[in-house]
Amino acid sequence: MSKMIKTFLSFVTAFTLAFALVPTAFADSHTEEEQDIVEIALGNENFSILVSALQRADLVETLQGDGPFTVFAPTNQAFMDLLEALDVTAEELLAQPDLANVLTYHVVPGKVLAGDLTDGLEADTVNGQAVTFDLSGDPMVNDSMIVDTDIEASNGVVHVIDKILVPDNFELQEVDMEEDDVPETGIESSSFLLIGMISAAAAFVFVLVYKPNKQ
């Protein structure tokens, strides 16, 4: 077998190994430590609009704090339903001056699990206004159904809801939009890890194959 073929096979092996190690690397990083609330949102594509909203409202660092916090996390569909009801675009909604007040209306201080809820319970939110729970049928917080519960995080717990909780003091305002005003998600960081692992594999092949040939 020629040196060229051996080199090619070695590179293919290392390249394949790099791809095989990528999911392992991600699995290790997420299983060794419990994720915080923001990391849980980042890891679920159904929360991508919520993540953008948290970034725009400068609440990411807050929800990465010690807490604990209880977050009622609206899905992308919940945001889309609100956009249709308000007749605005996602960009216009995320540019609202009162965005932070809406988002903090979804956060209750402390860790409140599903088993801690009672029918008629009222809980103060970080916004300052209270939300009310109705457990007489499907579990509800205000007029939003709680569709998933007790997603535990290192700094609290997440419950999934199907409708945006809108506080009484929210007023839709006219906003000036800028085309390049798009929040960063940070998800692209996985690409850099993949590139780094492939580069390392290529260097490994060079050391094993080319260096001995020179001796």
Side-chain angles (χ1 to χ4, degrees), residues 63 109 119 140:
L63 291 180
D119 189 33
M140 307 285 291

Side-chain angles (χ1 to χ4, degrees), residues 155-195:
N155 60 344
V157 64
V158 176
H159 305 298
V160 184
I161 57 176
D162 69 349
K163 189 174 182 179
I164 305 293
L165 304 175
V166 180
D168 294 337
N169 58 0
F170 173 74
E171 292 185 9
L172 187 66
Q173 302 180 39
E174 293 288 339
V175 292
D176 294 327
M177 299 303 304
E178 297 181 8
E179 292 184 2
D180 59 348
D181 193 11
V182 179
E184 297 289 338
T185 63
I187 298 175
E188 69 274 7
S189 60
S190 60
S191 299
F192 292 105
L193 176 60
L194 177 59
I195 293 171

Side-chain angles (χ1 to χ4, degrees), residues 10-26 190-191 193-205:
S10 298
F11 179 79
V12 170
T13 301
F15 190 81
T16 304
L17 178 62
F19 272 100
L21 289 175
V22 169
T24 303
F26 283 122
S190 60
S191 299
L193 176 60
L194 177 59
I195 293 171
M197 295 183 72
I198 293 174
S199 299
F204 179 73
V205 170

Side-chain angles (χ1 to χ4, degrees), residues 22 68-69 76 95 148 172 207 209:
V22 169
F69 305 105
N76 285 348
D148 197 6
L172 187 66
V207 171
V209 176

Side-chain angles (χ1 to χ4, degrees), residues 133-144:
F133 297 93
D134 181 356
L135 305 183
S136 59
D138 292 325
M140 307 285 291
V141 52
N142 290 0
D143 58 348
S144 178

Side-chain angles (χ1 to χ4, degrees), residues 7-213:
T7 301
F8 176 76
L9 291 177
S10 298
F11 179 79
V12 170
T13 301
F15 190 81
T16 304
L17 178 62
F19 272 100
L21 289 175
V22 169
T24 303
F26 283 122
D28 290 343
S29 65
H30 291 303
T31 56
E32 289 179 1
E33 283 188 21
E34 193 174 22
Q35 295 176 304
D36 63 36
I37 289 170
V38 173
E39 289 172 331
I40 287 175
L42 276 169
N44 189 326
E45 61 182 9
N46 287 324
F47 295 141
S48 61
I49 301 179
L50 173 61
V51 170
S52 295
L54 292 174
Q55 292 173 325
R56 184 66 63 90
D58 293 327
L59 291 175
V60 170
E61 186 175 349
T62 299
L63 291 180
Q64 287 179 323
D66 294 336
F69 305 105
T70 298
V71 174
F72 294 91
T75 62
N76 285 348
Q77 186 59 53
F79 276 98
M80 298 304 294
D81 291 342
L82 180 63
L83 295 178
E84 183 177 353
L86 297 178
D87 192 25
V88 297
T89 66
E91 291 77 13
E92 289 171 330
L93 179 63
L94 296 183
Q96 288 296 310
D98 287 341
L99 178 63
N101 288 332
V102 175
L103 294 174
T104 53
Y105 190 50
H106 295 72
V107 183
V108 173
K111 186 175 183 178
V112 183
L113 299 175
D116 300 323
L117 301 177
T118 58
D119 189 33
L121 174 70
E122 293 188 357
D124 291 330
T125 68
V126 174
N127 166 283
Q129 297 190 39
V131 292
T132 303
F133 297 93
D134 181 356
L135 305 183
S136 59
D138 292 325
M140 307 285 291
V141 52
N142 290 0
D143 58 348
S144 178
M145 184 184 301
I146 305 173
V147 296
D148 197 6
T149 62
D150 293 350
I151 304 174
E152 296 201 46
S154 60
N155 60 344
V157 64
V158 176
H159 305 298
V160 184
I161 57 176
D162 69 349
K163 189 174 182 179
I164 305 293
L165 304 175
V166 180
D168 294 337
N169 58 0
F170 173 74
E171 292 185 9
L172 187 66
Q173 302 180 39
E174 293 288 339
V175 292
D176 294 327
M177 299 303 304
E178 297 181 8
E179 292 184 2
D180 59 348
D181 193 11
V182 179
E184 297 289 338
T185 63
I187 298 175
E188 69 274 7
S189 60
S190 60
S191 299
F192 292 105
L193 176 60
L194 177 59
I195 293 171
M197 295 183 72
I198 293 174
S199 299
F204 179 73
V205 170
F206 179 83
V207 171
L208 289 183
V209 176
Y210 286 97
K211 193 170 182 181
N213 289 339

